[in-house]
Amino acid sequence: MRAGLALAATALLTLAACREDLYTNLDEREANRIVAVLERSGIPASRAVQDDGAMTVRVDDARFAQAVALLEQAGLPQQKFASMGDVFQQDGLVASPTQERARMLFALSEELSRTVSEIDGIQAARVHIVLPENDPLRRDAQPSSASVFVRHDAGLEVAALIPQIKTLIANGIAGLTYDNVSVVPVVAAAPLDPSVQPLSNVLGIWVLETSRARIVALLTALVALSACLGAGLGWLLWRRRGQPDTYLLEMRK
């Protein structure tokens, strides 16, 4: 009986502890945004502080796949961009002029991509820069150019932002003109509707697929508890039959 009760208690504790790490090494602001988006969509989420001070976001393991899909459509977690300091860290080696130029272009691209991605309504942005190495003595010099890819929310009026993005990029790169900046906007996929969820059959009853594991575990715990109670009751009845009735013994006296 004790073993059955322990099994039932373990199953119930397992129901309360079925949480899985969704994203780790987040800063507090980004972790708060992720939790807010998930809870607005009906997915319970929690935060935990790591040993190094970073944050971890956890969700129910049954809602893990839905949470990942929802956050991808919301553009979370945000892109990570290398800063100028990251690109030009001292590594003890002397870089060639070609390497220094490549690193400078990459750093410019990362900084501009970060700036564009911080515009409200833009989920992701990438800036690709082309700066030809022209000979100053040649007349047919190739102009510099830049291409900007942005993925934005469906409700954003991106057409009004394109001139501002082009101005931002052109003013951020020496020798680049407004007309040589192209912007390619892409509408992000529509967010998932949390009210529409797949169903699963459990003993002839249709339940939400995300709740199936919990219901099966709960039923298992109830069956184990019922078996323990039944076994205990049977044992008490058997003990009682093996003992004479105290009342009858007193009447015979």
Side-chain angles (χ1 to χ4, degrees), residues 111-195:
E111 290 290 346
L112 291 172
S113 297
R114 185 204 304 271
T115 302
V116 175
S117 65
E118 290 179 354
I119 299 175
D120 291 341
I122 293 182
Q123 298 182 7
R126 295 299 301 177
V127 178
H128 302 277
I129 305 170
V130 178
L131 297 179
E133 294 189 43
N134 292 314
D135 187 344
L137 300 178
R138 295 180 55 181
R139 295 183 178 179
D140 55 345
Q142 297 180 353
S144 301
S145 62
S147 299
V148 185
F149 165 81
V150 293
R151 181 161 60 94
H152 61 88
D153 296 340
L156 180 67
E157 293 292 337
V158 70
L161 287 176
I162 288 180
Q164 300 178 30
I165 294 174
K166 294 178 66 174
T167 300
L168 173 67
I169 301 300
N171 292 339
I173 302 174
L176 182 62
T177 62
Y178 178 92
D179 293 334
N180 287 331
V181 179
S182 60
V183 179
V184 179
V186 176
V187 180
L192 295 175
D193 185 357
S195 63

